[in-house]
Amino acid sequence: MGLGMDGNRLFDSKTGVEFNTSDKARNTPGQEIWLTVKAHLATILNAADYDRWIDDLRLVAEVDGEMVIAARDPLSFDRVNGAHRHAIQRIWREHDHARRAIRLVCWRTAPQDLLEIVKDPWEVAAPAQEPKEQAAPAEQKVASTGAPLMTFDTLVTGEANELAFEMARRIASGLPVGTLTTLFYGLQGTGKTHLLHALKAEAERRDADCHIVYLTAEEFLSSYTDGVKVKDTSQLKKRLRAASILMIDDLHRISGKPGTENELFQNIREVTANGGHVILAGDKAPGDVTGFSPRMVSELKGATTVEVGAPDARMRHEIMRRLADHIQTGHPEFIVTDDMISEFNAGIRGQAREMTGAIWNLYTEASFGARTPTMDMVRKIIRRTEGDVRQPSIELVKKAAMKVFDISKTDIESPSKARNVVYPRQIAMYLCRELTGKSFPQIGRSFGKRDHTTILYAHRKVAEALAEDRELAAHVKQVNEMILELQAAGMN
């Protein structure tokens, strides 16, 4: 790193140190900027991610124009570096007029010249305090980020997750659900972590004596690795096997690690043998998992398995509506209209995580809720999130119209004059011209080898009617949203 006391600045984790420069933009205390960046991150990340990975980071130095941020251990470093480094860099530059780069280091493996100059930042950050009478409840800690608590009441439900929702509520209520091991699986960002936290909160509300242990697979891995290093994993075993309900989130993250998997397997068997319930969450169904031993795969196949599906357009809208209303309770100027939410819904693809991220980014864009959001802000966030929009193919547009109006490929390409066929066909023709970049003759050939004048007529008819025909506008929007959904699913 080439550290030198002349050209670099060190930071106490509690106080800001002014930079030695005549540039006013570089005269802001580094720690002050870092605290602002963390506050910003707390608004756009879910509470669990912020508390687990971001809150423990430390700004330790400025080295050759780069801000050095330390993660405490390799697990934290890998997670932050892989999932949050770009966001930290982007937000730092938004708040730092000097727009310095960020360098992330793992404190345990940091270069010796840095260790010789900078004291352990966690020791510096933790001055002696009077013992607290009682630790703050977990609910208060989660609420401090500004995000709603992860409960059943705040979980948006629909066809995609209603079965998983009912399963979780039954477990929380102590009702029989078949086996003592349950696996919730689905794509990342679909709300599995919310479901587990909601189950935990409800079970503890119903029975104060219920002992629930919640760990991510990474936390389990870290605890197990630490125990192996000192040749004593008894504390981990004692903690897990005393659980009435043991929850392991992000199970897929320990695939390919046979020692860790074996330890988890033994603990699962011990918990269920004692009458406890084991709840696992992963990204794939048992028949699709890879990297696990046949014994663990068999265990997963023997569990009660429930899919947490991707939210549909209605659920995504409701997720954003609820979060926007929640934020507005503390920031009256943060008025998010349904049109803004619909714009997000049509423009940003993804799961619940992307939808909540859109609203938190809008909150940030609106000066942390101090200003009223505008549609320009919404479109700016969509461009920043999605980048360049891919042009759909003619076939994809036709497929979207077929799904929305429940007609066949034969129907949409046929010469039929029935209104229930002509109407969706003309909408598809209009969107093909608007979205695909193809010529009228090219589009005509894809619709049963029609003449280009037919496509031109359909395009003009729809375009002229859109401004006054609300039903038509709604249907065009619905087909457009279906196109984006199909693209998100990998079709084109």
Side-chain angles (χ1 to χ4, degrees):
M1 290 177 100
L3 280 166
M5 292 301 291
D6 293 335
N8 305 305
R9 302 289 175 268
L10 308 181
F11 299 93
D12 183 289
S13 60
K14 298 295 284 184
T15 60
V17 180
E18 292 191 352
F19 302 109
N20 276 341
T21 174
S22 59
D23 184 353
K24 184 178 180 180
R26 294 177 64 89
N27 200 35
T28 305
Q31 188 62 24
E32 181 180 318
I33 297 175
W34 176 233
L35 292 175
T36 303
V37 171
K38 287 179 67 177
H40 189 149
L41 287 165
T43 69
I44 63 174
L45 299 177
N46 67 56
D49 271 0
Y50 179 85
D51 291 342
R52 192 177 303 143
W53 309 114
I54 303 300
D55 196 37
D56 198 44
L57 297 176
R58 297 290 185 266
L59 175 66
V60 296
E62 179 186 3
V63 179
D64 299 328
E66 290 184 316
M67 311 309 296
V68 181
I69 294 174
R72 189 190 294 259
D73 52 49
L75 175 63
S76 301
F77 173 81
D78 289 344
R79 182 55 181 259
V80 175
N81 191 53
H84 304 301
R85 178 170 56 86
H86 292 300
I88 293 171
Q89 176 71 82
R90 173 178 59 81
I91 295 169
W92 178 279
R93 289 188 172 182
E94 287 178 5
H95 295 286
D96 177 15
H97 295 291
R99 297 179 65 79
R100 283 156 290 199
I102 292 295
R103 179 184 299 177
L104 185 68
V105 301
C106 173
W107 187 252
R108 288 188 188 174
T109 59
Q112 188 59 37
D113 46 5
L114 178 63
L115 298 177
E116 289 174 354
I117 296 174
V118 183
K119 294 181 180 179
D120 185 331
W122 288 270
E123 288 185 5
V124 174
Q129 297 180 355
E130 291 295 321
K132 295 181 180 180
E133 291 184 6
Q134 186 174 359
E139 288 82 359
Q140 292 179 17
K141 186 177 182 183
V142 173
S144 69
T145 68
L149 299 174
M150 288 188 280
T151 66
F152 286 132
D153 289 338
T154 59
L155 180 67
V156 174
T157 58
E159 185 177 351
N161 66 354
E162 59 187 357
L163 182 58
F165 174 75
E166 287 303 322
M167 172 66 78
R169 292 196 68 168
R170 288 184 66 86
I171 295 171
S173 301
L175 297 174
V177 292
T179 67
L180 289 175
T181 303
T182 301
L183 171 67
F184 294 105
Y185 76 93
L187 297 173
Q188 293 186 29
T190 51
K192 299 186 298 296
T193 296
H194 189 146
L195 196 69
L196 264 59
H197 279 283
L199 192 165
K200 181 176 184 292
E202 179 65 11
E204 290 174 339
R205 185 188 70 80
R206 288 176 171 272
D207 181 3
D209 295 327
C210 182
H211 181 45
I212 302 176
V213 175
Y214 170 91
L215 285 172
T216 66
E218 287 175 319
E219 289 169 335
F220 178 83
L221 170 62
S222 181
S223 297
Y224 173 66
T225 303
D226 288 345
V228 169
K229 287 179 180 177
V230 297
K231 299 181 179 180
D232 183 5
T233 60
S234 61
Q235 288 301 313
L236 177 63
K237 288 183 172 68
K238 182 178 180 181
R239 178 187 177 194
L240 270 55
R241 296 178 185 184
S244 306
I245 299 177
L246 171 62
M247 298 181 176
I248 303 294
D249 203 352
D250 293 332
L251 177 67
H252 49 279
R253 296 193 182 279
I254 62 169
S255 66
K257 298 177 174 61
T260 306
E261 178 202 310
N262 181 64
E263 181 72 11
L264 178 60
F265 179 86
Q266 296 297 337
N267 281 287
I268 289 173
R269 284 295 179 90
E270 287 291 334
V271 171
T272 55
N274 292 330
H277 205 121
V278 174
I279 301 169
L280 308 170
D283 63 350
K284 294 179 181 177
D288 297 323
V289 298
T290 58
F292 287 106
S293 68
R295 183 174 66 168
M296 178 61 88
V297 172
S298 176
E299 186 76 11
L300 297 177
K301 288 182 176 180
T304 302
T305 306
V306 185
E307 182 178 10
V308 183
D312 57 24
R314 182 203 66 79
M315 290 176 66
R316 291 197 301 268
H317 190 284
E318 182 64 17
I319 287 166
M320 290 185 281
R321 179 77 275 158
R322 288 194 192 183
L323 179 56
D325 291 346
H326 170 80
I327 296 172
Q328 191 185 2
T329 59
H331 302 83
E333 298 300 317
F334 190 69
I335 302 169
V336 182
T337 67
D338 280 341
D339 284 343
M340 291 177 182
I341 290 178
S342 294
E343 192 80 8
F344 273 139
N345 211 349
I348 294 179
R349 295 297 90 197
Q351 319 302 340
R353 184 177 299 159
E354 286 83 355
M355 298 300 103
T356 56
I359 297 299
W360 281 122
N361 274 287
L362 184 60
Y363 166 79
T364 303
E365 198 71 34
S367 300
F368 299 97
R371 296 162 52 203
T372 299
T374 65
M375 193 63 82
D376 283 343
M377 293 179 187
V378 170
R379 289 169 182 147
K380 178 181 178 182
I381 292 164
I382 292 173
R383 288 194 300 273
R384 189 166 67 206
T385 303
E386 294 295 304
D388 294 330
V389 178
R390 290 178 294 152
Q391 284 188 331
S393 65
I394 294 174
E395 289 303 314
L396 186 68
V397 175
K398 287 159 61 178
K399 192 174 296 183
M402 288 153 50
K403 288 180 75 71
V404 169
F405 292 99
D406 194 23
I407 60 174
S408 68
K409 182 176 172 66
T410 301
D411 289 333
I412 205 167
E413 295 177 356
S414 75
S416 172
K417 301 297 183 182
R419 188 182 186 280
N420 68 324
V421 174
V422 173
Y423 181 70
R425 181 195 295 144
Q426 289 183 333
I427 289 176
M429 290 175 174
Y430 167 79
L431 286 173
C432 280
R433 179 59 179 167
E434 290 291 306
L435 302 177
T436 67
K438 301 299 182 181
S439 66
F440 288 120
Q442 287 174 308
I443 297 169
R445 286 194 292 270
S446 292
F447 281 84
K449 298 183 179 179
R450 283 177 164 78
D451 188 84
H452 76 278
T453 56
T454 303
I455 311 302
L456 178 60
Y457 170 78
H459 182 268
R460 285 178 176 171
K461 182 177 180 180
V462 174
E464 290 170 1
L466 271 176
E468 297 180 356
D469 191 334
R470 292 186 177 181
E471 182 181 19
L472 174 63
H475 281 141
V476 169
K477 186 174 184 179
Q478 197 173 353
V479 175
N480 200 21
E481 289 179 350
M482 180 57 69
I483 291 169
L484 294 170
E485 283 197 28
L486 293 175
Q487 283 184 320
M491 300 182 189
N492 201 24

